[in-house]
Amino acid sequence: MGEFEHIKAPTREEIDAWWNQMPRALPEYCAVVSALKPILFNMTPKIVAIDGPNGTGKTTLGRYLSYMFNSSLIETDLFSRRPGFEYDLEQIRKLIYRRVEGGRPVFVEGVTILKIFDSISIEPDFHIYWENVHQSDSAVDRVDRLGVLLRRYCRKYNPRERANFAI
């Protein structure tokens, strides 16, 4: 008797029930993909910035888009030096250039993405502003240091107004 022979194969109904519990892509994702298709149609090395307040789903959107367009996602949070939107900018810059040199689009997401790009002298080819559906959950509403820094960023860079696509 094989190692897994004692495991009963699931029925079609069990598989369907399990599958129906899986998360689905948000309808808004389709709108973003549609906006990007003309920009990325020939898969040239373009830089797409994904901006928005904390906790709005930028990373999830970026992962979805990188999957849909068979490209890379750079999550700037992974390069955070300490709380307060301070990053290892040199590593982010190097990684963006390496991905672009690979000849494919690259998605870069982060809370203060325009400030990051400004600091490393890179201009994104397309800028998405992904806003929280529940604004009360946004870091913009916070009264702590993080909220102050995010409001300062928004006043200086106007990310929603500057975006090629805001949702």
Side-chain angles (χ1 to χ4, degrees):
M1 187 162 154
E3 183 179 351
F4 296 104
E5 287 182 25
H6 66 281
I7 298 174
K8 180 183 145 254
T11 66
R12 186 78 200 142
E13 292 78 24
E14 291 170 327
I15 293 171
D16 289 342
W18 168 80
W19 182 252
N20 288 331
Q21 294 175 22
M22 300 299 284
R24 301 286 183 253
L26 295 175
E28 293 88 352
Y29 287 9
C30 295
V32 178
V33 168
S34 293
L36 284 170
K37 280 182 181 178
I39 307 301
L40 304 178
F41 77 98
N42 57 358
M43 298 303 283
T44 58
K46 304 267 184 176
I47 300 170
V48 178
I50 304 172
D51 201 343
N54 287 40
T56 58
K58 294 177 300 300
T59 304
T60 305
L61 172 65
R63 289 174 183 169
Y64 179 80
L65 294 174
S66 66
Y67 166 77
M68 291 299 293
F69 289 99
N70 191 24
S71 58
S72 298
L73 170 66
I74 298 171
E75 301 173 29
T76 59
D77 284 350
L78 299 175
F79 301 92
S80 180
R81 289 190 167 162
R82 62 186 187 123
F85 309 126
E86 293 183 27
Y87 303 95
D88 185 341
L89 297 171
E90 184 59 21
Q91 289 301 318
I92 293 171
R93 186 190 66 73
K94 284 180 183 177
L95 192 53
I96 291 171
Y97 279 115
R98 277 192 213 122
R99 295 296 185 252
V100 168
E101 287 170 0
R104 303 207 46 88
V106 60
F107 294 91
V108 187
E109 66 84 18
V111 175
T112 58
I113 200 68
L114 294 178
K115 180 180 177 185
I116 291 169
F117 279 127
D118 193 26
S119 299
I120 58 177
S121 301
I122 291 178
E123 187 69 32
D125 296 294
F126 196 82
H127 176 215
I128 300 165
Y129 188 79
W130 186 258
E131 196 164 38
N132 196 346
V133 178
H134 308 288
Q135 277 299 306
S136 61
D137 296 339
S138 171
V140 177
D141 299 331
R142 294 171 60 154
V143 295
D144 63 0
R145 181 174 179 267
L146 196 61
V148 169
L149 291 171
L150 188 56
R151 285 189 295 279
R152 191 177 297 154
Y153 165 75
C154 289
R155 278 193 305 274
K156 181 174 181 179
Y157 289 93
N158 298 309
R160 190 177 209 305
E161 292 78 20
R162 288 179 57 188
N164 300 101
F165 188 84
I167 191 162

